Amino acid sequence: MHLQLAGALRTLVLSGSHGGQRLPASRLFAAELSISRLTVTAAYDQLIAEGYLVARQGSGTYIAEHLPHLIAPEPRPVSAPKPARVLPFHPGVPDQAGFPHRAWARHLERAWRAPAAGLLELADPFGWYPLRAAIAAHLAAWRGLDCTAEQVAITGGAWDGLDILRGAGLLRGRRLAMEDPGWPTLHRLVARAGMSPEPLRIDRDGFDPALIPPDISSAIVTPSRHYPTGTAMPLPRRLELLHWAEAEGGLIVEDDYDSEFRYQGQPLPSLAGLDGLRRVVYMGSFSKLLSPGLRIGYLVLPEAHLAAARDYLSVTGARASVLPQPALAEFMASGEFSTHLRRMRRTYARRQAWLLRELAPVGNLLKLTPDAAGMHLCLPLRPELRATDRQVAALASAQGLTVRALSAHAQLPDPPQALLLGYAAFAEETLAVAAKTLIEILRNI
């Protein structure tokens, strides 16, 4: 009740020129309102503390003079922004309907209902140790990467990982060799990290180390499944890249973004595993495995670089929130994470095959080749299609589809022409409708 009274008085004070006026004595005011005197004095005390009223000993309580700085601004209408919709065929987005919400909520509630002592202390800049141990175990089982929990550093994503590598002095020089076409955001991240991206055109075997200029000693690649074409780097090319790093004393950053989703055979061994974690930093993320909203990634660092990375993080501190880390650690250790990946792998394989069947009527315009892994298809344009991939992407956007043009991922001239179609996040019925729309677009060009 005293808050209601204080609010009413505050509104009256701000409604006009009342500065200097005396308020009724608390006893009289209480009798007039038929409330307790303590309620009135509590309201007066609140407004005195806020500066709206002034108490003068032996005289009473008055409205304070000169209150323009306390006048609230005119309220503005507020409308909540509409969440951005993920439209077919947006690539790289996992199926959020398949996210294990109940299991995740159970692990999250259990972790923080009675938190371990370490969660309430100063956070390790490398992240929650049980999660690092779970990641090391996962990489050993799924990626053939022999590492320890001490070599794993939890990050807030790709930008955070690159910032750590750059800030710790692990990326030598100012220029960084990169794949072209590649992830456009990565070019911006590298530039913001204070380096100059050096795009090198890939071929049918992916990244070619022979093209790296002699004054560059750092490279970032996606050897297991090139983004966005899906090309896998063969063993001879991988060995050539490792030989280059050894000869130059350089460092390779292996971005392994979705290799767990392989539909034929086991996932290809990682480049870092082939190297024995000497010249390769392995970079992974849970954005595509679980949810982009989780914002948890990780680096696996060679032992020779651990001290430099820890020195840097001891100054900046960890950027990844510790809140979801214990839940994720338990989710992985329980085996539910591996079960989820296997379930999603079956789902995504089925959706890829479904999309290719739906697009069969335009096989004369697109090269409908299945991919052995991933969450999207890269479909090259045939000469019979009298349009560029960017023109098709623009027409699809006008029809409510998200079709990416491969040429938009390139920095160098004369880029290859292909359409990128994501299928992982969409049910078969949605893919069927979207495919019919895309077919009409291609036939009417």
Side-chain angles (χ1 to χ4, degrees):
M1 190 175 293
H2 81 277
L3 293 177
Q4 295 181 41
L5 178 58
L9 290 174
R10 188 184 298 109
T11 301
L12 288 173
V13 168
L14 296 176
S15 64
S17 301
H18 304 294
Q21 292 188 19
R22 185 176 184 276
L23 269 67
S26 59
R27 190 183 303 277
L28 295 176
F29 203 10
E32 182 178 343
L33 298 176
S34 299
I35 59 177
S36 168
R37 183 186 178 191
L38 291 177
T39 301
V40 176
T41 56
Y44 281 7
D45 290 343
Q46 176 67 32
L47 295 176
I48 290 172
E50 294 178 5
Y52 291 97
L53 304 181
V54 177
R56 299 175 184 173
Q57 189 172 1
S59 178
T61 303
Y62 295 81
I63 297 175
E65 303 277 3
H66 310 299
L67 295 174
H69 63 288
L70 294 176
I71 298 177
E74 289 293 326
R76 297 180 179 179
V78 177
S79 58
K82 296 182 179 179
R85 292 181 58 202
V86 178
L87 302 173
F89 300 92
H90 198 297
V93 180
D95 181 7
Q96 293 300 278
F99 184 85
H101 297 282
R102 290 187 177 181
W104 178 255
R106 184 177 67 254
H107 289 298
L108 192 63
E109 191 273 339
R110 184 180 300 167
W112 289 100
R113 181 178 54 192
L119 287 172
L120 305 179
E121 297 173 354
L122 187 63
D124 186 329
F126 265 40
W128 181 240
Y129 189 86
L131 175 57
R132 294 156 58 196
I135 290 173
H138 167 75
L139 294 177
W142 285 70
R143 305 298 294 117
L145 181 56
D146 184 15
C147 64
T148 66
E150 286 74 16
Q151 293 176 274
V152 178
I154 307 301
T155 71
W159 155 248
D160 195 21
L162 288 173
D163 178 70
I164 292 171
L165 297 177
R166 178 63 175 168
L170 305 188
L171 297 176
R172 295 174 49 200
R174 298 284 300 179
R175 298 163 68 198
L176 180 66
M178 302 175 61
E179 300 160 328
D180 185 271
W183 183 30
T185 303
L186 186 59
H187 285 262
R188 297 192 291 269
L189 295 178
V190 169
R192 290 183 181 182
M195 303 189 71
S196 299
E198 183 72 23
L200 303 175
R201 179 60 50 80
I202 67 165
D203 57 23
R204 59 189 298 178
D205 289 332
F207 185 79
D208 187 357
L211 299 179
I212 302 177
D215 58 339
I216 292 181
S217 57
S218 299
I220 181 167
V221 294
T222 53
S224 295
R225 186 172 184 273
H226 170 260
Y227 185 85
T229 65
T231 301
M233 186 184 295
L235 181 60
R237 185 69 64 83
R238 294 181 182 221
L239 295 176
E240 185 182 352
L241 181 58
L242 292 176
H243 176 73
W244 165 84
E246 186 72 28
E248 294 292 329
L251 188 73
I252 303 168
V253 180
E254 178 183 11
D255 183 5
D256 203 22
Y257 60 97
D258 69 354
S259 293
E260 284 85 351
F261 297 130
R262 187 167 186 83
Y263 314 127
Q264 300 174 13
Q266 294 295 317
L268 300 175
S270 65
L271 185 67
L274 193 63
D275 172 62
L277 274 174
R278 295 182 302 112
R279 294 289 182 183
V280 179
V281 172
Y282 184 92
M283 183 165 65
S285 170
F286 293 94
S287 295
K288 293 178 174 59
L289 305 185
L290 288 174
S291 170
L294 195 56
R295 301 303 302 162
I296 290 185
Y298 56 90
L299 297 174
V300 184
L301 300 162
E303 290 187 356
H305 299 315
L306 290 178
R310 186 166 286 277
D311 287 345
Y312 178 69
L313 285 172
S314 66
V315 176
T316 65
R319 269 65 63 92
S321 171
V322 74
L323 183 66
Q325 293 186 38
L328 181 55
E330 289 296 324
F331 184 59
M332 297 180 73
S334 68
E336 292 171 302
F337 178 60
S338 296
T339 300
H340 171 72
L341 292 183
R342 294 187 181 96
R343 182 172 59 251
M344 290 296 99
R345 187 163 58 182
R346 292 191 298 270
T347 299
Y348 295 167
R350 185 178 66 250
R351 289 177 179 176
Q352 183 194 115
W354 179 280
L355 178 58
L356 287 171
R357 285 195 300 270
E358 293 294 321
L359 292 175
V362 288
N364 62 320
L365 303 176
L366 301 175
K367 295 180 181 179
L368 303 177
T369 305
D371 200 332
M375 302 167 67
H376 72 271
L377 287 167
C378 181
L379 304 179
L381 308 187
R382 294 187 182 275
E384 290 78 6
L385 183 61
R386 304 299 181 182
T388 66
D389 56 0
R390 296 197 186 210
Q391 289 173 333
V392 175
L395 292 171
S397 177
Q399 296 297 319
L401 301 179
T402 301
V403 175
R404 302 294 191 208
L406 177 60
S407 63
H409 291 66
Q411 307 295 319
L412 300 175
D414 300 322
Q417 296 284 305
L419 302 181
L420 306 181
L421 304 181
Y423 52 81
F426 311 102
E428 285 84 344
E429 295 79 8
T430 302
L431 291 174
V433 174
K436 289 180 180 178
T437 303
L438 181 59
I439 289 171
E440 290 299 318
I441 292 171
L442 295 175
R443 285 176 168 174
N444 292 327
I445 288 178

